Amino acid sequence: MSCLPQRCARQLIREPFQRGSLPLFLTPAFSPSRTQCFSTSSPMQSRVGGAAISVPPEVSLNLVDIPKSATRVRGKDVPKFTAEIKGPKGEMSLTIPSFLDVNYDAANSKATLSVSDSEQPHQRAMWGTTRALLQNHIIGVSEGHICILSMVGVGYRATIEFKATTVTASYPGQQFVSLKVGFSHPIELGIPEGIKASTPQPTRILLEGVDKRKVTQFAAEIREWRRPEPYKGKGIFVNGETIKLKAKKIK
């Protein structure tokens, strides 16, 4: 007897029914066109990749073809050319995927990227990513990228040293960042090539460089030695980083 209601429900679902053959309270549950919408707004896709990039007059942008013998990538995403960006701060290069085209208007100092098929998720994702990387390179060679690290804690200090006792130099003339962050010995980190580090204050570290990825990566490595903790608010903060303090545990 317990299986009878289940059999009736399965039969109602499988067989077509008329609206008048069911009770009114069962009609919404067995209606085939039942939909439930949680939002009334229509989905919108990001169009960051199609936005124009302004190129300063002191920056030169050149597109250089890549020979087939120099490419090691196989498949449809074989890069065809490289964008070379030169400015007063330095020079950088960016490999452009094959499904993207860079249109540079020297008269208006504008650069735009176009994609061959915007319906494919991979091409649409790389469209915005490549545009962001190209803009970061243009800003890097013209103005440069900076990261400011603030050290909060009793006795926390940082200095720039020309010699280190715990690590060896990876290139001639390398400098080192010496951190005093509560350990029994100072922490010495080699400054990567292409990055300039200074300490305007004993509790401030200023990192400057052309490549944004290298600058932020080195800042993350320094922050890893004393990540901000939520109880006393001590640690190494990057670029005005804030943290929400937790209430102290009271026994």
Side-chain angles (χ1 to χ4, degrees):
M1 295 297 293
S2 60
C3 297
L4 185 59
Q6 297 180 2
R7 292 178 182 178
C8 295
R10 292 174 185 173
Q11 186 176 4
L12 288 173
I13 295 173
R14 293 175 182 175
E15 296 180 359
F17 61 89
Q18 297 180 359
R19 186 171 296 273
S21 62
L22 284 176
L24 294 177
F25 66 91
L26 286 179
T27 301
F30 291 97
S31 177
S33 61
R34 184 191 180 194
T35 57
Q36 187 175 7
C37 298
F38 295 97
S39 177
T40 58
S41 60
S42 59
M44 297 292 292
Q45 295 182 355
S46 176
R47 299 299 179 186
V48 177
I53 303 174
S54 61
V55 182
E58 65 272 10
V59 176
S60 63
L61 176 62
N62 299 321
L63 302 177
V64 180
D65 294 334
I66 300 177
K68 295 183 179 180
S69 59
T71 58
R72 300 181 179 179
V73 183
R74 297 181 180 179
K76 299 181 180 180
D77 296 346
V78 178
K80 295 182 179 180
F81 57 91
T82 302
E84 295 183 351
I85 308 102
K86 297 181 181 180
K89 295 287 186 178
E91 59 182 43
M92 297 192 69
S93 62
L94 177 65
T95 303
I96 308 298
S98 59
F99 49 82
L100 292 177
D101 291 329
V102 179
N103 302 319
Y104 176 50
D105 187 3
N108 297 324
S109 299
K110 297 287 185 180
T112 56
L113 276 74
S114 59
V115 65
S116 59
D117 188 3
S118 61
E119 298 298 329
Q120 294 189 10
H122 174 65
Q123 295 189 15
R124 189 169 61 249
M126 290 303 299
W127 186 17
T129 301
T130 307
R131 190 260 179 198
L133 293 176
L134 183 60
Q135 185 181 23
N136 289 338
H137 288 359
I138 292 174
I139 295 175
V141 299
S142 59
E143 302 175 3
H145 298 283
I146 63 172
C147 269
I148 302 175
L149 292 88
S150 303
M151 307 174 65
V152 179
V154 178
Y156 286 9
R157 295 289 184 272
T159 56
I160 306 299
E161 305 292 343
F162 293 94
K163 294 182 180 180
T165 57
T166 58
V167 293
T168 57
S170 58
Y171 61 91
Q174 184 182 22
Q175 296 181 353
F176 303 88
V177 176
S178 179
L179 304 175
K180 295 182 179 180
V181 286
F183 293 96
S184 60
H185 56 85
I187 305 299
E188 296 175 335
L189 301 173
I191 301 174
E193 193 172 3
I195 296 179
K196 179 183 177 182
S198 59
T199 53
Q201 297 179 8
T203 58
R204 297 286 190 274
I205 303 175
L206 176 62
L207 303 179
E208 302 174 85
V210 177
D211 194 345
K212 184 178 181 180
R213 184 189 64 83
K214 288 184 178 180
V215 173
T216 54
Q217 177 63 32
F218 186 54
E221 293 176 1
I222 296 176
R223 179 185 180 273
E224 192 66 22
W225 286 98
R226 276 300 180 192
R227 289 179 290 180
E229 55 92 15
Y231 292 101
K232 294 184 179 180
K234 299 191 301 182
I236 302 176
F237 298 83
V238 180
N239 286 339
E241 177 186 4
T242 58
I243 187 172
K244 185 178 180 180
L245 297 180
K246 294 182 179 180
K248 296 181 180 179
K249 297 180 180 179
I250 301 176
K251 296 182 179 180

mmCIF file with all atom_site columns, all heavy atoms in Angstrom, residues 156-167:
data_model
loop_
_atom_site.group_PDB
_atom_site.id
_atom_site.type_symbol
_atom_site.label_atom_id
_atom_site.label_alt_id
_atom_site.label_comp_id
_atom_site.label_asym_id
_atom_site.label_entity_id
_atom_site.label_seq_id
_atom_site.pdbx_PDB_ins_code
_atom_site.Cartn_x
_atom_site.Cartn_y
_atom_site.Cartn_z
_atom_site.occupancy
_atom_site.B_iso_or_equiv
_atom_site.pdbx_formal_charge
_atom_site.auth_seq_id
_atom_site.auth_comp_id
_atom_site.auth_asym_id
_atom_site.auth_atom_id
_atom_site.pdbx_PDB_model_num
ATOM 1  N N   . TYR A 1 156 ? 59.934 45.903 14.874 1.00 0.00 ? 156 TYR A N   1
ATOM 2  C CA  . TYR A 1 156 ? 60.013 45.544 13.459 1.00 0.00 ? 156 TYR A CA  1
ATOM 3  C C   . TYR A 1 156 ? 60.801 46.622 12.711 1.00 0.00 ? 156 TYR A C   1
ATOM 4  O O   . TYR A 1 156 ? 60.475 47.810 12.778 1.00 0.00 ? 156 TYR A O   1
ATOM 5  C CB  . TYR A 1 156 ? 58.619 45.409 12.854 1.00 0.00 ? 156 TYR A CB  1
ATOM 6  C CG  . TYR A 1 156 ? 57.880 44.158 13.281 1.00 0.00 ? 156 TYR A CG  1
ATOM 7  C CD1 . TYR A 1 156 ? 58.370 43.332 14.284 1.00 0.00 ? 156 TYR A CD1 1
ATOM 8  C CD2 . TYR A 1 156 ? 56.684 43.799 12.676 1.00 0.00 ? 156 TYR A CD2 1
ATOM 9  C CE1 . TYR A 1 156 ? 57.698 42.194 14.669 1.00 0.00 ? 156 TYR A CE1 1
ATOM 10 C CE2 . TYR A 1 156 ? 55.996 42.658 13.056 1.00 0.00 ? 156 TYR A CE2 1
ATOM 11 C CZ  . TYR A 1 156 ? 56.507 41.864 14.060 1.00 0.00 ? 156 TYR A CZ  1
ATOM 12 O OH  . TYR A 1 156 ? 55.835 40.732 14.445 1.00 0.00 ? 156 TYR A OH  1
ATOM 13 N N   . ARG A 1 157 ? 61.827 46.198 11.984 1.00 0.00 ? 157 ARG A N   1
ATOM 14 C CA  . ARG A 1 157 ? 62.681 47.113 11.238 1.00 0.00 ? 157 ARG A CA  1
ATOM 15 C C   . ARG A 1 157 ? 63.099 46.465 9.929  1.00 0.00 ? 157 ARG A C   1
ATOM 16 O O   . ARG A 1 157 ? 63.084 45.240 9.784  1.00 0.00 ? 157 ARG A O   1
ATOM 17 C CB  . ARG A 1 157 ? 63.940 47.487 12.046 1.00 0.00 ? 157 ARG A CB  1
ATOM 18 C CG  . ARG A 1 157 ? 63.671 48.280 13.321 1.00 0.00 ? 157 ARG A CG  1
ATOM 19 C CD  . ARG A 1 157 ? 63.215 49.698 12.997 1.00 0.00 ? 157 ARG A CD  1
ATOM 20 N NE  . ARG A 1 157 ? 63.049 50.506 14.205 1.00 0.00 ? 157 ARG A NE  1
ATOM 21 C CZ  . ARG A 1 157 ? 61.940 50.571 14.925 1.00 0.00 ? 157 ARG A CZ  1
ATOM 22 N NH1 . ARG A 1 157 ? 60.886 49.827 14.575 1.00 0.00 ? 157 ARG A NH1 1
ATOM 23 N NH2 . ARG A 1 157 ? 61.870 51.337 15.994 1.00 0.00 ? 157 ARG A NH2 1
ATOM 24 N N   . ALA A 1 158 ? 63.492 47.306 8.974  1.00 0.00 ? 158 ALA A N   1
ATOM 25 C CA  . ALA A 1 158 ? 63.982 46.824 7.682  1.00 0.00 ? 158 ALA A CA  1
ATOM 26 C C   . ALA A 1 158 ? 65.105 47.731 7.213  1.00 0.00 ? 158 ALA A C   1
ATOM 27 O O   . ALA A 1 158 ? 65.028 48.957 7.362  1.00 0.00 ? 158 ALA A O   1
ATOM 28 C CB  . ALA A 1 158 ? 62.862 46.791 6.646  1.00 0.00 ? 158 ALA A CB  1
ATOM 29 N N   . THR A 1 159 ? 66.150 47.140 6.650  1.00 0.00 ? 159 THR A N   1
ATOM 30 C CA  . THR A 1 159 ? 67.282 47.884 6.108  1.00 0.00 ? 159 THR A CA  1
ATOM 31 C C   . THR A 1 159 ? 67.704 47.249 4.783  1.00 0.00 ? 159 THR A C   1
ATOM 32 O O   . THR A 1 159 ? 67.397 46.083 4.509  1.00 0.00 ? 159 THR A O   1
ATOM 33 C CB  . THR A 1 159 ? 68.475 47.882 7.079  1.00 0.00 ? 159 THR A CB  1
ATOM 34 O OG1 . THR A 1 159 ? 68.826 46.519 7.390  1.00 0.00 ? 159 THR A OG1 1
ATOM 35 C CG2 . THR A 1 159 ? 68.138 48.635 8.355  1.00 0.00 ? 159 THR A CG2 1
ATOM 36 N N   . ILE A 1 160 ? 68.411 48.035 3.976  1.00 0.00 ? 160 ILE A N   1
ATOM 37 C CA  . ILE A 1 160 ? 68.963 47.560 2.709  1.00 0.00 ? 160 ILE A CA  1
ATOM 38 C C   . ILE A 1 160 ? 70.466 47.368 2.900  1.00 0.00 ? 160 ILE A C   1
ATOM 39 O O   . ILE A 1 160 ? 71.180 48.307 3.260  1.00 0.00 ? 160 ILE A O   1
ATOM 40 C CB  . ILE A 1 160 ? 68.680 48.551 1.563  1.00 0.00 ? 160 ILE A CB  1
ATOM 41 C CG1 . ILE A 1 160 ? 67.181 48.842 1.471  1.00 0.00 ? 160 ILE A CG1 1
ATOM 42 C CG2 . ILE A 1 160 ? 69.197 48.003 0.248  1.00 0.00 ? 160 ILE A CG2 1
ATOM 43 C CD1 . ILE A 1 160 ? 66.325 47.639 1.189  1.00 0.00 ? 160 ILE A CD1 1
ATOM 44 N N   . GLU A 1 161 ? 70.942 46.147 2.676  1.00 0.00 ? 161 GLU A N   1
ATOM 45 C CA  . GLU A 1 161 ? 72.344 45.807 2.884  1.00 0.00 ? 161 GLU A CA  1
ATOM 46 C C   . GLU A 1 161 ? 72.997 45.443 1.552  1.00 0.00 ? 161 GLU A C   1
ATOM 47 O O   . GLU A 1 161 ? 72.338 44.945 0.635  1.00 0.00 ? 161 GLU A O   1
ATOM 48 C CB  . GLU A 1 161 ? 72.471 44.626 3.859  1.00 0.00 ? 161 GLU A CB  1
ATOM 49 C CG  . GLU A 1 161 ? 71.788 44.838 5.198  1.00 0.00 ? 161 GLU A CG  1
ATOM 50 C CD  . GLU A 1 161 ? 72.453 45.905 6.051  1.00 0.00 ? 161 GLU A CD  1
ATOM 51 O OE1 . GLU A 1 161 ? 73.621 46.247 5.756  1.00 0.00 ? 161 GLU A OE1 1
ATOM 52 O OE2 . GLU A 1 161 ? 71.819 46.393 6.995  1.00 0.00 ? 161 GLU A OE2 1
ATOM 53 N N   . PHE A 1 162 ? 74.317 45.700 1.476  1.00 0.00 ? 162 PHE A N   1
ATOM 54 C CA  . PHE A 1 162 ? 75.078 45.347 0.278  1.00 0.00 ? 162 PHE A CA  1
ATOM 55 C C   . PHE A 1 162 ? 75.676 43.944 0.376  1.00 0.00 ? 162 PHE A C   1
ATOM 56 O O   . PHE A 1 162 ? 76.077 43.376 -0.637 1.00 0.00 ? 162 PHE A O   1
ATOM 57 C CB  . PHE A 1 162 ? 76.198 46.365 0.042  1.00 0.00 ? 162 PHE A CB  1
ATOM 58 C CG  . PHE A 1 162 ? 75.690 47.732 -0.319 1.00 0.00 ? 162 PHE A CG  1
ATOM 59 C CD1 . PHE A 1 162 ? 75.500 48.701 0.654  1.00 0.00 ? 162 PHE A CD1 1
ATOM 60 C CD2 . PHE A 1 162 ? 75.384 48.042 -1.635 1.00 0.00 ? 162 PHE A CD2 1
ATOM 61 C CE1 . PHE A 1 162 ? 75.032 49.959 0.323  1.00 0.00 ? 162 PHE A CE1 1
ATOM 62 C CE2 . PHE A 1 162 ? 74.914 49.301 -1.980 1.00 0.00 ? 162 PHE A CE2 1
ATOM 63 C CZ  . PHE A 1 162 ? 74.729 50.262 -1.000 1.00 0.00 ? 162 PHE A CZ  1
ATOM 64 N N   . LYS A 1 163 ? 75.736 43.394 1.585  1.00 0.00 ? 163 LYS A N   1
ATOM 65 C CA  . LYS A 1 163 ? 76.259 42.048 1.792  1.00 0.00 ? 163 LYS A CA  1
ATOM 66 C C   . LYS A 1 163 ? 75.318 41.289 2.707  1.00 0.00 ? 163 LYS A C   1
ATOM 67 O O   . LYS A 1 163 ? 74.615 41.881 3.526  1.00 0.00 ? 163 LYS A O   1
ATOM 68 C CB  . LYS A 1 163 ? 77.667 42.085 2.401  1.00 0.00 ? 163 LYS A CB  1
ATOM 69 C CG  . LYS A 1 163 ? 78.726 42.685 1.481  1.00 0.00 ? 163 LYS A CG  1
ATOM 70 C CD  . LYS A 1 163 ? 80.093 42.631 2.130  1.00 0.00 ? 163 LYS A CD  1
ATOM 71 C CE  . LYS A 1 163 ? 81.164 43.229 1.219  1.00 0.00 ? 163 LYS A CE  1
ATOM 72 N NZ  . LYS A 1 163 ? 82.514 43.181 1.846  1.00 0.00 ? 163 LYS A NZ  1
ATOM 73 N N   . ALA A 1 164 ? 75.320 39.971 2.556  1.00 0.00 ? 164 ALA A N   1
ATOM 74 C CA  . ALA A 1 164 ? 74.479 39.108 3.384  1.00 0.00 ? 164 ALA A CA  1
ATOM 75 C C   . ALA A 1 164 ? 75.313 37.941 3.885  1.00 0.00 ? 164 ALA A C   1
ATOM 76 O O   . ALA A 1 164 ? 76.270 37.508 3.233  1.00 0.00 ? 164 ALA A O   1
ATOM 77 C CB  . ALA A 1 164 ? 73.281 38.600 2.589  1.00 0.00 ? 164 ALA A CB  1
ATOM 78 N N   . THR A 1 165 ? 74.940 37.436 5.053  1.00 0.00 ? 165 THR A N   1
ATOM 79 C CA  . THR A 1 165 ? 75.671 36.325 5.660  1.00 0.00 ? 165 THR A CA  1
ATOM 80 C C   . THR A 1 165 ? 74.959 34.989 5.498  1.00 0.00 ? 165 THR A C   1
ATOM 81 O O   . THR A 1 165 ? 75.592 33.943 5.614  1.00 0.00 ? 165 THR A O   1
ATOM 82 C CB  . THR A 1 165 ? 75.873 36.599 7.160  1.00 0.00 ? 165 THR A CB  1
ATOM 83 O OG1 . THR A 1 165 ? 74.590 36.796 7.782  1.00 0.00 ? 165 THR A OG1 1
ATOM 84 C CG2 . THR A 1 165 ? 76.727 37.842 7.368  1.00 0.00 ? 165 THR A CG2 1
ATOM 85 N N   . THR A 1 166 ? 73.663 35.015 5.229  1.00 0.00 ? 166 THR A N   1
ATOM 86 C CA  . THR A 1 166 ? 72.904 33.765 5.143  1.00 0.00 ? 166 THR A CA  1
ATOM 87 C C   . THR A 1 166 ? 72.579 33.356 3.710  1.00 0.00 ? 166 THR A C   1
ATOM 88 O O   . THR A 1 166 ? 72.257 32.192 3.467  1.00 0.00 ? 166 THR A O   1
ATOM 89 C CB  . THR A 1 166 ? 71.589 33.891 5.933  1.00 0.00 ? 166 THR A CB  1
ATOM 90 O OG1 . THR A 1 166 ? 70.826 34.989 5.411  1.00 0.00 ? 166 THR A OG1 1
ATOM 91 C CG2 . THR A 1 166 ? 71.873 34.136 7.403  1.00 0.00 ? 166 THR A CG2 1
ATOM 92 N N   . VAL A 1 167 ? 72.632 34.285 2.760  1.00 0.00 ? 167 VAL A N   1
ATOM 93 C CA  . VAL A 1 167 ? 72.341 33.972 1.356  1.00 0.00 ? 167 VAL A CA  1
ATOM 94 C C   . VAL A 1 167 ? 73.469 34.512 0.495  1.00 0.00 ? 167 VAL A C   1
ATOM 95 O O   . VAL A 1 167 ? 74.212 35.417 0.899  1.00 0.00 ? 167 VAL A O   1
ATOM 96 C CB  . VAL A 1 167 ? 70.989 34.579 0.907  1.00 0.00 ? 167 VAL A CB  1
ATOM 97 C CG1 . VAL A 1 167 ? 69.838 33.913 1.618  1.00 0.00 ? 167 VAL A CG1 1
ATOM 98 C CG2 . VAL A 1 167 ? 70.964 36.081 1.139  1.00 0.00 ? 167 VAL A CG2 1
#
